Amino acid sequence: MKNVLFVCSQNRLRSPTAEQVFSKRHDIEVASAGTNHDADTPLSHELVAWADIIFVMEKTHRSKLQKKFKASLKAAKVICLDIPDDYEFMDPELIALLKARVRVIWTETSRRPSA
């Protein structure tokens, strides 16, 4: 079973939506966090070390992750979904975009089905 972490800035809209959408899968464990210090669930060394795959919403999240948590990244694969902060929590458009982007990446990298 893979541990999948979704990361955005505040952990209020995009990454919690992704966590909820993909938590229904039985072949992965999911969590979400934010890069900002005042995020609902701030990104931590423990979460980064736990993750096998880390999906960040924007390139700035990847940069912050790699700069601040380099020691904890181990062999985790970090993938940018390029999803801007334009959506509300559980927005149907956001859900469709997350499923489409993760499906393409999941298929390319692990040949496993996605949500």
Side-chain angles (χ1 to χ4, degrees), residues 65-83:
L65 172 72
Q66 290 171 331
K67 190 177 286 184
K68 189 173 179 184
F69 298 96
K70 186 176 185 175
S72 302
L73 273 172
K74 301 183 307 180
K77 182 177 287 255
V78 179
I79 300 165
C80 183
L81 296 174
D82 286 316
I83 297 176

Side-chain angles (χ1 to χ4, degrees), residues 6-109:
F6 292 95
V7 176
C8 67
S9 298
Q10 295 292 332
N11 190 231
R12 294 190 181 122
L13 305 173
R14 293 172 290 174
S15 59
T17 297
E19 180 180 12
Q20 188 163 330
V21 167
F22 292 98
S23 68
K24 297 174 179 118
R25 291 182 53 148
H26 300 290
D27 60 336
I28 60 173
E29 290 289 326
V30 295
S32 66
T35 57
N36 292 0
H37 70 285
D38 61 345
D40 283 0
T41 301
L43 196 56
S44 67
H45 285 282
E46 293 77 20
L47 274 172
V48 172
W50 167 84
D52 297 307
I53 301 170
I54 302 173
F55 287 108
V56 296
M57 299 298 159
E58 300 175 34
K59 291 176 183 150
T60 58
H61 302 134
R62 179 173 45 209
S63 296
K64 288 180 182 180
L65 172 72
Q66 290 171 331
K67 190 177 286 184
K68 189 173 179 184
F69 298 96
K70 186 176 185 175
S72 302
L73 273 172
K74 301 183 307 180
K77 182 177 287 255
V78 179
I79 300 165
C80 183
L81 296 174
D82 286 316
I83 297 176
D85 194 9
D86 295 339
Y87 304 94
E88 294 298 319
F89 178 69
M90 296 305 288
D91 181 318
E93 240 182 275
L94 174 58
I95 292 169
L97 190 56
L98 283 163
K99 286 182 176 184
R101 298 252 170 106
V102 170
R103 180 178 296 120
V104 167
I105 292 163
W106 206 263
T107 301
E108 289 174 356
T109 59

